Amino acid sequence: MKKRDSLFSPKTSFLMVLIMLDGFQRVVHALNNMVPTLTIEVFQDAEIIIHFINLNDGAQGLGIHWHGMFQTTTPWQDGVGGITQCHINPSTTWTYKYRADPWGSFWYHSHSGFNRDDGLFGHLIIHERNIPDQIPVYQHDFFFVHVTDWFHDECEEHWLKHLTQEDILSGRGEEFDSTVIYHGALIGNNEIAIGQWWDPQGEGDITPFDRFNSVDDVRTGFAYVVFNVIPGDTYRFRWIGAGFNAMTRISFDGHAQILIAQDGFDIAPVRDVESIFILAGERYDSLVMFDQTPDNYWMRHLSPQDAYDFDAVQHDNRAVIHYMDPDVPDPADDDFNPWDGDTAITSQRDICTLEAPCHIGNCYQLEYFHLLWLMETTKIVMLVVLVLETALSLVALIPVIMSILMVMTRPVVLNSP
């Protein structure tokens, strides 16, 4: 669909299908047999019409949520089943019709069960009519990238294994294992880069890369996503946090980013950003100028094994930034090997130290520890308040206690007959 169109009106069907994103065949929940599904690009105030058909032969109904759309006059089109509309049941249809507002980087996804985490999501890009003056000049705007965690079984099946302690004791679940196989994913322009994961059979080793992504050290034949760039040009990347649990960190070897938007809204440009943290549902827009020596560089998508443990093993998922220069090895060539020989990619991440700190666009670690500090401080304040209330209550009881004691100790005078 071209940007200049004022109407986007596809027919979209939902179906559970077998598909290989990283060389491992598994069931996904897909729209039009695609993960991610169609990218919707329109201008602000355009009318969007989506004819949705639920072809799933199971018992599951669902709705499609248009994440970030105001739905000012059409709240019933928001797509949250059981809240703003009834679920779209199997073998039934529903037509979404709403105005594209506001402009920015958004996405759409299922709001039912684990559909979203099993692949039912897509980009929703609303373009402004006039680019604000505060946004630095860029030449290209077509890199739309989802970042997500990914599993080799359906998400519901995966997470039902990790129930509450009561369920574990009753034999209905399995104790959560921090070494469970977890796959990070970086999906761009309907391609996917699945990276290393924690090895549950080893001593915390990381499965090594080869030319292709690997499953249990077996080459899958699925090469890394490649972003082809023109030397000297600036590109806009629209990042969508489609993850289920894990936080991700995006960086480019040898290149800084300019953060220009958050959750669909422009911000004052933040320059010289080394990396950006992204959590589920968040959107960030950044600019990258590719003005370094023409070569192949790594784009990195790092995520911790434990979403809330910042010292956990980092899953190092990657894509290739390819400068389109005749002297730079082409990743599309059959003899290209990013790990060995003349075509090896040798770029490195910036080393962050106290003497040379990295500028992180949005440091969740700091926010996380501030939150912990706030929680602990709140507990202390509540404890102090409880002690004071108890003390005041005791003080209020002193007159009552004194009166009782006076009555109990008052001498009894008996009248003589």
Side-chain angles (χ1 to χ4, degrees):
M1 195 65 192
K2 297 180 179 179
K3 293 181 185 178
R4 305 300 176 185
D5 293 347
S6 60
L7 180 69
F8 188 93
S9 181
K11 181 175 288 187
T12 303
S13 60
F14 163 61
L15 188 63
M16 293 176 64
V17 297
L18 285 172
I19 196 169
M20 291 195 297
L21 292 179
D22 62 340
F24 186 93
Q25 183 170 279
R26 57 151 293 189
V27 172
V28 299
H29 297 189
L31 291 176
N32 292 358
N33 294 335
M34 300 168 62
V35 176
T37 186
L38 295 169
T39 293
I40 299 177
E41 273 191 276
V42 297
F43 275 105
Q44 186 182 19
D45 295 327
E47 184 178 56
I48 295 178
I49 303 175
I50 305 290
H51 303 292
F52 181 86
I53 308 171
N54 187 350
L55 296 178
N56 182 23
D57 58 1
Q60 185 177 23
L62 76 158
I64 302 299
H65 176 53
W66 311 95
H67 199 118
M69 293 294 96
F70 286 162
Q71 304 288 4
T72 305
T73 59
T74 53
W76 56 88
Q77 302 286 7
D78 192 50
V80 182
I83 303 296
T84 59
Q85 71 169 101
C86 294
H87 284 91
I88 306 169
N89 291 322
S91 303
T92 61
T93 63
W94 176 269
T95 296
Y96 289 101
K97 183 177 180 180
Y98 61 91
R99 185 170 64 92
D101 183 54
W103 49 263
S105 300
F106 303 98
W107 63 311
Y108 61 101
H109 56 83
S110 169
H111 221 293
S112 305
F114 292 89
N115 294 148
R116 184 200 76 190
D117 315 298
D118 285 323
L120 207 162
F121 54 80
H123 296 95
L124 175 59
I125 309 301
I126 312 300
H127 291 279
E128 58 270 51
R129 299 287 178 175
N130 298 297
I131 298 178
D133 293 336
Q134 69 176 12
I135 302 299
V137 175
Y138 57 91
Q139 288 75 43
H140 308 282
D141 181 11
F142 50 75
F143 287 154
F144 313 144
V145 189
H146 282 284
V147 291
T148 183
D149 32 23
W150 192 253
F151 304 98
H152 280 173
D153 49 11
E154 289 186 72
C155 218
E156 181 175 10
E157 176 184 349
H158 182 89
W159 288 102
L160 283 178
K161 298 175 182 177
H162 312 304
L163 305 178
T164 63
Q165 188 66 30
E166 291 77 13
D167 291 324
I168 295 169
L169 294 176
S170 65
R172 293 196 298 269
E174 300 174 15
E175 187 173 358
F176 182 79
D177 181 0
S178 63
T179 62
V180 67
I181 295 179
Y182 156 83
H183 309 265
L186 187 150
I187 307 173
N189 300 340
N190 293 327
E191 298 180 281
I192 186 168
I194 301 287
Q196 300 165 332
W197 58 86
W198 182 259
D199 179 8
Q201 306 301 325
E203 300 296 330
D205 296 329
I206 296 296
T207 303
F209 279 105
D210 59 4
R211 176 185 173 187
F212 299 105
N213 301 307
S214 59
V215 178
D216 297 330
D217 291 328
V218 177
R219 285 171 38 146
T220 64
F222 278 62
Y224 297 112
V225 172
V226 177
F227 294 87
N228 295 306
V229 299
I230 299 173
D233 281 6
T234 299
Y235 289 73
R236 181 172 184 164
F237 286 80
R238 298 175 183 262
W239 309 100
I240 309 293
F244 177 68
N245 183 56
M247 174 181 64
T248 60
R249 182 178 182 178
I250 298 296
S251 64
F252 295 78
D253 287 4
H255 298 76
Q257 303 178 66
I258 303 175
L259 189 60
I260 61 171
Q262 178 179 2
D263 290 337
F265 293 93
D266 289 340
I267 62 175
V270 181
R271 299 177 182 274
D272 299 320
V273 172
E274 183 269 338
S275 57
I276 300 171
F277 282 102
I278 303 177
L279 287 169
E282 293 185 326
R283 290 90 61 205
Y284 288 93
D285 292 34
S286 66
L287 302 180
V288 181
M289 177 182 290
F290 293 102
D291 57 353
Q292 301 301 306
T293 302
D295 205 342
N296 290 313
Y297 295 84
W298 288 120
M299 174 201 292
R300 298 177 189 265
H301 160 222
L302 301 174
S303 57
Q305 171 69 20
D306 184 334
Y308 301 102
D309 181 0
F310 298 103
D311 293 323
V313 169
Q314 298 287 319
H315 298 279
D316 185 358
N317 314 302
R318 306 187 189 187
V320 178
I321 298 296
H322 170 64
Y323 276 69
M324 292 188 291
D325 183 283
D327 295 328
V328 176
D330 190 344
D333 293 342
D334 291 338
D335 58 353
F336 180 81
N337 185 337
W339 300 103
D340 193 24
D342 294 337
T343 62
I345 301 177
T346 59
S347 65
Q348 300 291 326
R349 281 195 66 207
D350 291 340
I351 303 300
C352 305
T353 65
L354 292 176
E355 293 74 23
C358 293
H359 187 182
I360 301 173
N362 50 342
C363 186
Y364 279 100
Q365 297 189 31
L366 185 59
E367 293 179 11
Y368 176 75
F369 291 120
H370 280 174
L371 178 61
L372 288 182
W373 176 85
L374 179 61
M375 292 171 63
E376 294 302 319
T377 304
T378 302
K379 290 179 183 178
I380 295 173
V381 171
M382 291 177 65
L383 180 60
V384 171
V385 170
L386 180 60
V387 171
L388 289 175
E389 288 181 343
T390 304
L392 290 174
S393 299
L394 292 174
V395 170
L397 287 173
I398 290 177
V400 177
I401 295 172
M402 293 297 294
S403 299
I404 294 173
L405 291 175
M406 290 176 64
V407 171
M408 293 178 63
T409 58
R410 179 182 302 171
V412 178
V413 178
L414 298 177
N415 295 325
S416 299

